[in-house]
Every structure is written in C-alpha cells, then in structure tokens.
Amino acid sequence: MLTLYGINLSTFTRKLRLALAEKGIDYRFEQAPMGSARVRALHPLAKIPVAEHDGLVIPDSSVIIAYLERLWPQPALYPQPAAGFAQALWLEEYADTRLREVTLPYFAERIVKPLFQGRQADESVLERAGPLRDEAFAYLESVIAGRCYAVDDRFSVADIAIGAQLVTYQQGAGLPDAARWPGLARYLEGLLVRPAWVTLLAEEADALAAARARRR
Ligand SMILES: N[C@@H](CCC(=O)N[C@@H](CS)C(=O)NCC(=O)O)C(=O)O
C-alpha cells in the first residue's frame, strides 16, 4: 500500500491525489503539514507531498507521478509520442513553477491570511500580482487554444499540474474571468467535472467551509 504524506488544500498534494484518483490507485493519506517533524524526516526539503511505497521514500509530486506511471501504466498520464511527451513535461514544469508563483498570492491573501491566520488580506499584493497572472493566463489561453486538454487532445499529467494550480487560484479569486480567458475558463470547468476531481475538491470545499465556520 502506498502512503501519501501531505494535507488537503496543499496544491502539490492535490496534484498527486488527482493523479492517484485518475489512475484508481488506493493509498493511505496521512495528514502531515509541510515542515512537520514527520515530513522533515522523509523529505530533504521538508516539502509536501512525499510518498512511501514498499519501503521506498519518494519526494516531489512530479517524481511520484512518474513512479506511479511505471507501476500502474493505465490509464496513461504521459503521451506516448515524443513531442507530446515533451510538451506534457514542459507544461507540468511550467505549472509547478510559474503558475504556482501566479496563483499562490491569491490563496495566501484571500484564504490563508483571513481563514488560518486571522489576518486581513493585503490587496496591494494582489494588485502587484495581476500582470504576471495576466501573462501566464494569456500563455495558457494560447496553449489550450479552445481544446479540452493541454496536449494532443487527451488528458495527461499536464492537465493535472495546470488544474491543480488553477484550483488554488479559484479558491482565492474565483474562476479565471471567462470574458478575458474564455478557453482557459472552459478548460478548467471541464476538468472540475471529472469524477476524480469532484470527489477530491468536495473534500477541500468542506475543509474551507469548516475553516470559515471556525472564524465566525
Ligand atoms: N516541487 C515540489 C513542490 C512541493 C511544494 O512546494 N509543496 C508546498 C506545499 S503545496 C510546500 O511544501 N511548501 C513548503 C516550503 O516550500 O517550504 C513538488 O512537486 O512536490
């Protein structure tokens, strides 16, 4: 049995859980916040997620998903053709880095500060975040080009990585504005109704509702 250490509402934990759900892999989910003693003992960078399988400790969502693909090849999350494979890896990398940078301020200001720290959002942070968000969303709008999936018109790890980050954005700022990025908004709506996503995101919505209730 695979054990996953992380927490819900963590973007990279979500990314991995989406991959596990899409592949239909059973796992044990052990709540372990980033930087906790448990995580520090398992992950050299003290980040989440980290997984343990048959005595092997595997850090990093991208590495874990690639490992899962070897052991559970179907349904495949990586395109077979070399060009599609490269594009999927690139978009996964883009999502994990630039899109992460773009989406995190919205979650930090609108969710973490008010719900988990009892502090007010600093809207000036979000004003400064706008231009980079606009640039990244315009790039994704052109990559997706009105299709349902980011690469080769079939679901892949690129959609999981992009979708996981866009959910973080949605939790802080709502869906991408369909008037400005119609393809991106439709693309995300299509991902959000996938059965594996509905279940996981309902769990996250409950966690957010509970945090809101505690603050009232
Ligand atoms: N490249 C890593 C990124 C993991 C990551 O940054 N996780 C966040 C939580 S969503 C974290 O642990 N942050 C704590 C930190 O950066 O120290 C992955 O894909 O697993």
Side-chain angles (χ1 to χ4, degrees):
M1 170 72 82
L2 183 110
T3 302
L4 159 60
Y5 300 89
I7 51 172
N8 61 21
L9 299 175
S10 138
T11 310
F12 290 96
T13 302
R14 173 186 313 124
K15 177 187 163 196
L16 177 55
R17 294 184 80 197
L18 288 171
L20 286 160
E22 289 282 353
K23 280 186 170 291
I25 301 170
D26 280 337
Y27 62 98
R28 202 168 64 82
F29 184 30
E30 195 166 310
Q31 296 286 328
M34 48 212 162
S36 61
R38 189 75 169 131
V39 170
R40 273 190 278 119
L42 292 170
H43 193 312
L45 305 177
K47 294 190 180 203
I48 52 174
V50 56
E52 207 167 4
H53 184 237
D54 288 346
L56 179 69
V57 174
I58 316 156
D60 198 281
S61 64
S62 303
V63 177
I64 301 165
I65 295 172
Y67 172 82
L68 297 177
E69 183 89 350
R70 285 287 178 97
L71 293 184
W72 289 272
Q74 298 301 328
L77 292 179
Y78 297 83
Q80 197 55 40
F85 179 67
Q87 177 70 349
L89 292 185
W90 157 244
L91 289 174
E92 180 184 25
E93 170 63 16
Y94 180 82
D96 289 359
T97 53
R98 175 52 59 89
L99 203 51
R100 164 73 167 170
E101 196 183 337
V102 158
T103 58
L104 193 57
Y106 295 89
F107 186 79
E109 294 303 321
R110 299 254 174 83
I111 301 290
V112 177
K113 279 191 183 172
L115 294 189
F116 295 101
Q117 298 176 343
R119 296 160 62 203
Q120 279 204 320
D122 179 348
E123 292 297 324
S124 72
V125 170
L126 300 184
E127 266 164 47
R128 287 195 300 278
L132 198 61
R133 185 268 321 266
D134 294 354
E135 190 185 301
F137 282 10
Y139 172 64
L140 289 176
E141 183 78 12
S142 74
V143 164
I144 288 156
R147 297 189 312 264
C148 297
Y149 305 116
V151 181
D152 289 351
D153 247 345
R154 60 178 286 256
F155 184 79
S156 75
V157 69
D159 303 305
I160 291 177
I162 295 168
Q165 300 295 336
L166 290 178
V167 167
T168 294
Y169 179 80
Q170 185 203 10
Q171 288 170 342
L175 283 168
D177 183 352
R180 300 183 69 190
W181 306 288
L184 186 62
R186 254 198 326 275
Y187 164 81
L188 180 59
E189 280 166 5
L191 294 177
L192 294 179
V193 296
R194 294 176 71 83
W197 295 51
V198 169
T199 310
L200 189 58
L201 298 181
E203 187 187 309
E204 292 199 26
D206 287 349
L208 284 175
R212 283 198 177 94
R214 280 195 299 274
R215 280 284 155 203
R216 270 188 216 117

